[in-house]
Amino acid sequence: MSHRCLRVILPFAILTVLTPLARADTSWRAATAKAKITPEASMWMSGYGARNKPAEGTNLDLWAKTLVLEDAQGRRAALVTLDLVGIARDLSLSICDDLSEKYGLQRSQVMLAASHTHCGPVVGRNLSAMYFLEPAQLRYVDDFARRLRETVVRLVGEAIEGLAPCSVSWASGQATFAVNRRNNKEAEVPRLREEGRLVGPVDYDVPVLAVRDAQARLTAVVFGYACHATVLDFYQWSGDYPGYAQKTVEDSHAGVTALFWAGCGADQNPLPRRAVDLAEAYGRQLAQAVDRVLGGVMAPVEGGLETEYSEVDLPFAALPTRAELEQQAKSSSRFEAQRGRLLLERMEAGKPLSPTYPYPVQCWRVGHDLRWLALGGEVVVDYALRLKGELGRERTWVAAYANDVMAYIPSRRVLAEGGYEGGGAMVYYGLPTVWAPEVEELIVRQAHSQAGRN
């Protein structure tokens, strides 16, 4: 019998909602849990290097949410969605280590998906070269990361405890507010849109996973979209348009937990932007696309659950020498100088620069048909379009900003073109140089290896 449990948990002083999902005539089981993670302290915000002070208030609360699925053989998968710009490898590993120790979940069974809102807090050492923080602010950052780890682990545990029979279905819709920011000037977008002359690759798909109880009541909705969460750039906490979309879905469907994951939108912006009413409007558009899917024909998930995770040794281009780093450390660009200092400190601590990065690729095969890929970093849209074209558009979902947000991940085309996504942004993440030309093929090859297995 389904039930709801409401309680306040310290030290976050956050609201936690546990919603088991029930349906007696299938072998699937599921449950959700959620917790507010809006910082109470006036912390430094993430996402924009131009910010020069901590947050000053809250526009829309930030949330951590989880959905745990279990098939007839008892195989489980835990999706965790976070209203954050991203998390780094060390925090991701620590969360997954805790989940393995406490609940027996293997690394492949846990997907950590950030919405990439640019109005969330600095999280751990993510974007390490972007911030210049005083000791008190560094303590806030470390404390937030510690409590986030504890909260995520607790939420997954509560969802596991609440597992109950359910039905699961999936389908995709569309929303069209994403714009390729490399190919369209922001100031010209309203006119170009009206004239039907926007250019550049985009991914308008809105994948939707629905969970319903024994009475066919909707209890959980998972959905994604490939577009930066950069409508807002002020000094208030906010989930941006993904936060408004989740809130709209939950407000429209009593008792539902809505979970958002970001697609390959590293070169996509919601345009126009810079206003709260626009964030609300894009959130409504996305929620309406979800509702159209929910009101239409959705394919039932039939079959079992298989999960796979691996790390690709993703190569950098030629590494900088110590002399080059020493020169960088004297740069007039404070971000380049910060990166140079950080890398020199690492070398002086006996940690030589690595020629590769352990890049995460994950696949959940949900039933006989659905293949859900999760890629780390800020992935450009070319990857989603290519993988869906090669593996089947309807049956292939491609999440980005998952498990580790270490840098932008350009396609070979974008890498050759250069620009911010092609290599300029590497400095903010504190990585030594740009990626090597073969990164796209290495990532796609691993995605095929995982998604292609039956």
Side-chain angles (χ1 to χ4, degrees):
M1 183 174 182
S2 64
H3 64 280
R4 293 173 61 87
C5 175
L6 181 66
R7 56 175 172 166
V8 176
I9 302 293
L10 296 175
F12 250 127
I14 46 180
L15 179 68
T16 301
V17 180
L18 176 64
T19 313
L21 311 169
R23 184 189 154 179
D25 61 345
T26 73
S27 56
W28 285 91
R29 298 202 304 160
T32 64
K34 60 186 286 189
K36 190 186 300 182
I37 57 171
T38 312
E40 296 180 349
S42 182
M43 288 179 60
W44 209 267
M45 303 181 77
S46 185
Y48 295 111
R51 286 198 174 106
N52 57 16
K53 59 184 176 181
E56 297 177 334
T58 299
N59 161 255
L60 188 67
D61 278 318
L62 309 175
W63 294 86
K65 302 176 183 178
T66 187
L67 168 68
V68 175
L69 292 172
E70 182 183 274
D71 69 9
Q73 287 73 43
R75 294 173 296 196
R76 292 173 177 170
L79 169 68
V80 177
T81 62
L82 302 164
D83 291 338
L84 298 172
V85 74
I87 60 174
R89 175 178 169 80
D90 59 347
L91 180 55
S92 178
L93 290 176
S94 65
I95 290 171
C96 291
D97 286 347
D98 288 350
L99 291 173
S100 176
E101 179 181 350
K102 292 189 175 185
Y103 306 113
L105 293 173
Q106 300 303 306
R107 182 62 192 86
S108 66
Q109 296 174 275
V110 181
M111 185 187 297
L112 303 170
S115 71
H116 200 53
T117 176
H118 283 46
C119 287
V122 175
V123 186
R125 296 298 175 258
N126 186 253
L127 287 161
S128 59
M130 182 180 282
Y131 313 116
F132 304 82
L133 305 182
E134 298 296 326
Q137 280 293 327
L138 285 172
R139 286 193 294 272
Y140 285 143
V141 169
D142 290 342
D143 187 53
F144 180 87
R146 176 186 59 79
R147 288 182 289 121
L148 177 67
R149 171 181 175 177
E150 294 169 353
T151 299
V152 169
V153 173
R154 174 175 55 79
L155 290 179
V156 173
E158 290 183 352
I160 289 173
E161 291 176 3
L163 286 169
C166 69
S167 65
V168 186
S169 57
W170 63 281
S172 291
Q174 282 204 333
T176 60
F177 58 83
V179 176
N180 192 301
R181 69 188 192 187
R182 292 175 61 86
N183 300 106
N184 302 276
K185 293 182 179 180
E186 184 166 338
E188 297 176 0
V189 164
R191 176 180 58 81
L192 293 173
R193 189 191 300 276
E194 184 177 349
E195 295 173 355
R197 295 200 298 120
L198 290 171
V199 295
V202 294
D203 180 7
Y204 288 153
D205 288 349
V206 181
V208 179
L209 188 79
V211 183
R212 294 179 170 86
D213 67 13
Q215 290 74 43
R217 292 176 302 201
L218 187 68
T219 48
V221 179
V222 180
F223 62 100
Y225 192 58
C227 185
H228 251 88
T230 53
V231 182
L232 303 174
D233 63 348
F234 52 15
Y235 289 86
Q236 296 183 47
W237 306 121
S238 179
D240 207 283
Y241 82 81
Y244 280 107
Q246 292 172 85
K247 185 177 186 300
T248 301
V249 171
E250 292 182 350
D251 288 348
S252 301
H253 302 275
V256 165
T257 300
L259 303 92
F260 172 86
W261 53 268
C264 299
D267 50 354
Q268 312 292 305
N269 269 353
L271 298 176
R273 54 183 181 159
R274 312 297 188 194
V276 172
D277 61 343
L278 289 171
E280 293 175 341
Y282 297 140
R284 283 194 302 272
Q285 287 183 41
L286 187 52
Q288 289 165 358
V290 171
D291 273 342
R292 286 192 293 271
V293 173
L294 294 172
V297 177
M298 301 187 71
V301 173
E302 298 175 341
L305 177 66
E306 296 181 45
T307 63
E308 190 165 349
Y309 175 94
S310 60
E311 293 179 349
V312 179
D313 290 330
L314 214 59
F316 294 113
L319 293 174
T321 64
R322 177 181 287 272
E324 289 170 334
L325 290 177
E326 289 172 347
Q327 190 64 32
Q328 282 185 29
K330 301 174 185 177
S331 172
S332 58
S333 164
R334 64 173 187 160
F335 302 111
E336 185 173 332
Q338 173 90 322
R339 177 177 66 169
R341 289 191 295 268
L342 290 172
L343 294 178
L344 285 170
E345 289 173 6
R346 185 181 306 171
M347 294 174 70
E348 290 165 3
K351 300 177 181 178
L353 301 183
S354 173
T356 63
Y357 188 91
Y359 180 80
V361 178
Q362 185 174 23
C363 182
W364 286 359
R365 297 184 290 279
V366 185
H368 299 309
D369 299 315
L370 179 59
R371 299 295 181 265
W372 187 356
L373 292 161
L375 306 178
E378 301 199 45
V379 186
V380 300
V381 74
D382 289 357
Y383 283 84
L385 298 178
R386 176 177 174 179
L387 287 167
K388 288 194 283 189
E390 294 173 353
L391 296 169
R393 176 178 172 181
E394 294 301 324
R395 69 193 293 261
T396 307
W397 296 358
V398 189
Y401 304 94
N403 298 311
D404 178 6
V405 183
M406 79 303 289
Y408 273 78
I409 307 298
S411 61
R412 190 179 184 96
R413 174 185 68 84
V414 172
L415 185 64
E417 291 175 357
Y420 187 76
E421 298 86 356
M426 298 293 274
V427 63
Y428 301 105
Y429 281 98
L431 293 180
T433 187
V434 298
W435 298 110
E438 61 265 33
V439 293
E440 179 181 347
E441 292 306 317
L442 291 171
I443 293 169
V444 169
R445 185 186 309 161
Q446 183 59 44
H448 269 274
S449 175
Q450 293 184 13
R453 298 177 186 175
N454 295 318

